[in-house]
Amino acid sequence: MSTFATPPIDPMRITFETRVTAPMSPSGPVLTRRMSDLKGLFADTSEWERSLAEDRVVYEVASTPVPEIEGELPQSITTIHPGTVAGEFHMTKGHMHTRPRGEIYLGLSGVGGLLLFDGNRPEWIPMEPGVIGYIPPGWAHRSVNTGDEPYRFLAVYPGDSGHDYDWVLRNGMGYRVFSGPAGTDLRPF
Ligand code: S6P
Ligand code: ZN
């Protein structure tokens, strides 16, 4: 695995599998988030603590070598594995960009949702292959796998966006996303 390239970087052709969990090519950093990395996020703390015995991988983020610096447009593919914690779907940590920067997500495989929160209003965008979810500046964002196969999406974001994870721990995301009898169940909190 290579790391972020040192700028200035050359134009490049990037390939990836739309339906298979595989690194992008050329590949950059790959981040793996396990259940133990998601402390304080799931509603049922006891069930989350029990899950630590296994400490399963919840999601992976595979990047290209494009660096996270001003002017560049890094990309990554996130794969969220299916599952729940006491009925609450597997999800990313969620973050607010530290600068007012937008971002786009493109659904590649599986089904899920993009949960957005500006501190007052939550929004939910159902995601599937071919759907673009737009994240305006000033909206925290989290992705959720609402299906029974891996949910994968491509993210493209300004390189100087920054990631504030504490914002989500302080403010929440407006909704929690559970598996309900009628499908996806958004519960305000
Ligand atoms: C980066 C972009 C995504 C997420 C990834 C994991 O701005 O939004 O690449 O980093 O989906 O989510 P999180 O909340 O753990 O960074
Ligand atoms: Zn982001």
Side-chain angles (χ1 to χ4, degrees), residues 29-99:
V30 179
L31 183 71
T32 299
R33 296 266 196 226
R34 293 179 177 275
M35 209 42 100
S36 54
D37 297 311
L38 305 182
K39 184 176 183 181
L41 299 180
F42 289 97
D44 191 326
T45 311
S46 306
E47 186 65 26
W48 172 78
E49 278 174 0
R50 274 193 289 279
S51 78
L52 296 182
E54 178 195 15
D55 202 15
R56 61 185 181 268
V57 172
V58 179
Y59 63 98
E60 288 128 349
V61 185
S63 305
T64 68
V66 176
E68 290 187 320
I69 59 170
E70 184 180 4
E72 301 285 358
L73 282 174
Q75 319 95 38
S76 58
I77 292 178
T78 300
T79 303
I80 308 177
H81 299 283
T84 68
V85 174
E88 190 174 6
F89 283 121
H90 278 185
M91 59 188 175
T92 60
K93 290 177 74 166
H95 60 270
M96 177 71 96
H97 291 163
T98 55
R99 296 188 182 83

Side-chain angles (χ1 to χ4, degrees), residues 126-141:
M127 295 290 293
E128 60 184 32
V131 172
I132 292 174
Y134 179 59
I135 302 160
W139 288 77
H141 40 289

